[in-house]
């Protein structure tokens, strides 16, 4: 059924169609509308049998999810930003126990300073926690990925994060094609847990493991992620056959067949990049976009194959490793070992800063001319940065960074940056 709806509501309806038996949630923007929608469905009796638990924290939400999944219930939760960090200990436990929990991460910046807008800092901070991470480009894909996520999680007995850009997708009203219950039931079989706590047959789950077996346990988690690299595209193909839409998989290329420059990105910015690439193609520039739809496990072979014939790669990141640079870029460069291409990292959109076509055109034209710095921060205000660095050099009691920057912006002061280095 075609309908115009908010991204969060579309995800809530898709999750409900997957027949979860336990939903545990603690509200945090921008994921709150998802669990509110599910709560309303449970209260109205439209999602049954299902137990909706309002818990006291995000740590409690993941702890409840672990308990319910271990007891054999199909389990769902959602979070964002500091909420994800608050549940980190339990997040690692869920993957270490091999529990097929599905969780939406409505991507949002991590403080301090507090910022409720979108970037990828939250899920990127958990890239090594053992969860599969799938990234949605649009609300339709977010809807579709949740249906695939339950199937993937339960087949592999692994937890899955579906990452969708906060506000940009969660609060945007778009047209989506919502499947009916019969379609989802035909695609997603009833949950048959690989391991389950049963009072009639008591076992231990999560017992202490010493040096004699811990490395093997961790290796098996890695081995299962590697196996998922085969199953993820297979499930995407099964989904396309059943629903008639291309969603999910490992990567998706746009105009990359003859591209001399390829931009690599994740999430909703891909749509803006595709429009930008169309503009540059009209100017005669051979450029394309590679969307990474599965960030963990990282699709090394698929990325390598997509980039093998290009001359340069620009990785557009909505997060970065402080003191190093690109996060996604590091993985992309590993994929390009022995492939001789020029590589650039562009950090953009932190804290929800708009990523405009004009800015993308400017930086990509520099990249095509090989005049771009290896690490570039898109639309960074160097005047404000240098003003604060001068303040810290001049006085010990220079004050809080964020508040000083806001005062500088409010004052309209713009010192010259002539001769100042721009790393």
């Amino acid at each position: 059924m075609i309908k115009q709806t908010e991204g969060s509501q579309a995800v809530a309806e898709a999750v409900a169609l997957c027949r979860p038996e336990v939903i545990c949630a603690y509200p945090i923007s921008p994921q709150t509308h998802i669990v509110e929608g599910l709560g309303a469905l449970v209260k109205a009796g439209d999602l049954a049998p299902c137990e909706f638990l309002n818990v006291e924290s995000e740590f409690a939400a993941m702890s409840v999810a672990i308990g319910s999944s271990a007891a054999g219930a199909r389990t769902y939760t959602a979070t964002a930003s500091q909420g994800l960090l608050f549940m980190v200990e339990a997040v690692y436990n869920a993957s270490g126990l091999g529990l097929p929990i599905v969780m939406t991460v409505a991507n949002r910046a991590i403080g301090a300073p507090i910022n409720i807008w979108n970037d990828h800092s939250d899920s990127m901070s958990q890239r090594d926690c053992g969860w599969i991470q799938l990234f949605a480009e649009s609300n339709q894909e977010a809807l579709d990925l949740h249906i695939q996520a339950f199937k993937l999680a339960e087949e592999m007995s692994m937890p899955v994060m579906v990452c969708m850009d906060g506000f940009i997708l969660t609060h945007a009203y778009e047209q989506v094609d919502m499947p009916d219950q019969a379609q989802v039931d035909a695609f997603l079989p009833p949950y048959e847990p690989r391991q389950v706590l049963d009072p009639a047959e008591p076992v231990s789950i999560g017992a202490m493991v010493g040096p004699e077996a811990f490395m093997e346990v961790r290796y098996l988690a890695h081995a299962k992620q590697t196996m998922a690299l085969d199953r993820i595209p297979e499930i995407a193909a099964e989904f396309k056959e059943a629903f008639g839409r291309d969603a999910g998989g490992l990567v998706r290329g746009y105009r990359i067949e003859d591209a001399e420059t390829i931009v690599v990105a994740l999430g909703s910015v891909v749509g803006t990049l595709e429009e930008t690439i169309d503009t540059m193609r009209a100017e005669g520039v051979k450029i394309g976009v590679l969307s990474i739809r599965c960030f963990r496990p990282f699709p090394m072979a698929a990325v390598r194959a997509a980039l093998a014939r290009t001359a340069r790669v620009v990785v557009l990141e909505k997060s970065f490793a402080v003191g190093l640079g690109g996060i996604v870029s590091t993985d992309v460069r590993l994929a390009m070992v022995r492939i001789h291409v020029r590589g650039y990292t562009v950090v953009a959109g932190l804290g929800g800063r708009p990523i405009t076509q004009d800015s993308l055109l400017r930086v990509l034209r520099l990249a095509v001319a090989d005049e771009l710095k290896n690490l570039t921060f898109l639309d960074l205000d160097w005047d404000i940065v240098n003003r604060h660095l001068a303040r810290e050099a001049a006085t010990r009691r220079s004050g809080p960074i964020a508040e000083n920057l806001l005062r500088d912006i409010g004052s309209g002061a713009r010192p010259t940056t002539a001769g100042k280095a721009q790393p």
Side-chain angles (χ1 to χ4, degrees), residues 127-138:
R127 60 192 179 276
D128 300 324
C129 71
W131 285 57
I132 291 173
Q133 289 192 12
L134 308 177
F135 276 78
E137 297 176 17
S138 65

Side-chain angles (χ1 to χ4, degrees), residues 5-310:
T5 190
E6 185 194 49
S8 293
Q9 186 60 36
V11 168
E13 292 182 35
V15 170
L17 289 171
C18 295
R19 301 187 186 274
E21 298 165 284
V22 175
I23 298 168
C24 37
Y26 189 83
I28 181 171
S29 293
Q31 65 84 16
T32 306
H33 289 183
I34 300 173
V35 292
E36 281 181 346
L38 285 163
L41 291 170
V42 173
K43 184 177 181 179
D46 296 329
L47 176 53
C50 181
E51 186 173 2
F52 189 100
L53 289 91
N54 288 307
V55 294
E56 68 273 17
S57 71
E58 288 88 357
F59 179 81
M62 184 52 62
S63 298
V64 168
I66 288 171
S68 63
S69 185
R74 181 172 285 168
T75 302
Y76 171 82
T77 188
T79 193
S81 188
Q82 264 86 350
L84 179 59
L85 297 190
F86 194 10
M87 63 168 67
V88 163
E89 179 184 349
V91 165
Y92 273 77
N93 287 340
S95 59
L97 294 172
L99 297 174
I101 301 162
V102 172
M103 175 168 65
T104 307
V105 176
N107 289 116
R108 169 185 149 184
I110 294 174
I114 290 295
N115 179 293
I116 66 168
W117 291 275
N118 167 250
D119 65 30
H120 292 161
S121 300
D122 49 7
S123 58
M124 287 292 166
S125 76
Q126 300 309 305
R127 60 192 179 276
D128 300 324
C129 71
W131 285 57
I132 291 173
Q133 289 192 12
L134 308 177
F135 276 78
E137 297 176 17
S138 65
N139 284 339
Q140 182 68 67
E141 188 158 278
L143 182 167
D144 295 342
L145 283 177
H146 280 83
I147 299 170
Q148 295 179 49
F150 279 100
K151 187 168 188 172
L152 175 64
E154 291 167 9
E155 284 191 15
M156 304 299 301
S157 199
M158 298 172 67
V160 178
M161 291 183 197
V162 179
C163 304
M164 61 186 299
D165 286 343
F167 294 108
I168 298 171
L169 295 183
T170 58
H171 287 56
Y173 279 76
E174 295 179 358
Q175 193 176 83
V176 298
D177 186 354
M178 184 68 64
D180 60 34
Q181 189 65 68
Q183 287 177 299
V184 176
D185 287 346
F187 179 78
L188 178 64
Y191 176 33
E192 294 185 12
R194 195 177 296 269
Q195 55 183 346
V196 63
L197 289 172
D198 183 355
E201 297 181 22
V203 296
S204 295
I205 292 179
M208 180 176 286
V209 173
E212 71 283 359
F214 189 82
M215 184 178 291
E216 286 74 12
V217 170
R218 297 303 294 166
Y219 173 78
L220 287 169
H222 168 72
K224 287 174 67 176
Q225 287 251 344
T226 302
M227 286 184 250
L229 286 171
D230 294 325
R231 194 65 188 114
I232 289 167
E234 291 172 354
I235 289 176
E238 292 165 12
F239 183 91
K240 184 177 181 180
E241 182 176 355
F243 296 90
R245 292 190 299 276
D246 179 21
L250 301 177
V251 300
R252 182 178 70 86
Y254 180 76
R255 306 189 77 165
I256 65 171
E257 291 77 11
D258 64 340
E260 296 173 356
T261 302
I262 295 178
V263 186
V264 179
L266 303 85
S268 63
V269 73
V270 170
T272 307
L273 278 168
E274 288 178 353
E275 293 180 5
T276 306
I277 263 59
D278 287 342
T279 299
M280 297 182 73
R281 280 279 179 171
E283 299 169 354
V285 180
K286 293 182 178 180
I287 188 167
V289 180
L290 182 70
S291 171
I292 296 180
R293 288 171 155 180
C294 169
F295 182 63
R296 283 294 182 271
F298 190 75
M300 196 80 67
V303 171
R304 182 183 298 115
L307 303 180
R309 294 179 299 279
T310 193

Side-chain angles (χ1 to χ4, degrees), residues 112-114 384 388 391 399-409:
I114 290 295
I384 292 294
H388 184 77
R391 181 187 297 116
I401 295 172
E403 286 71 13
N404 282 340
L405 297 187
L406 291 174
R407 278 192 291 270
D408 289 344
I409 292 170

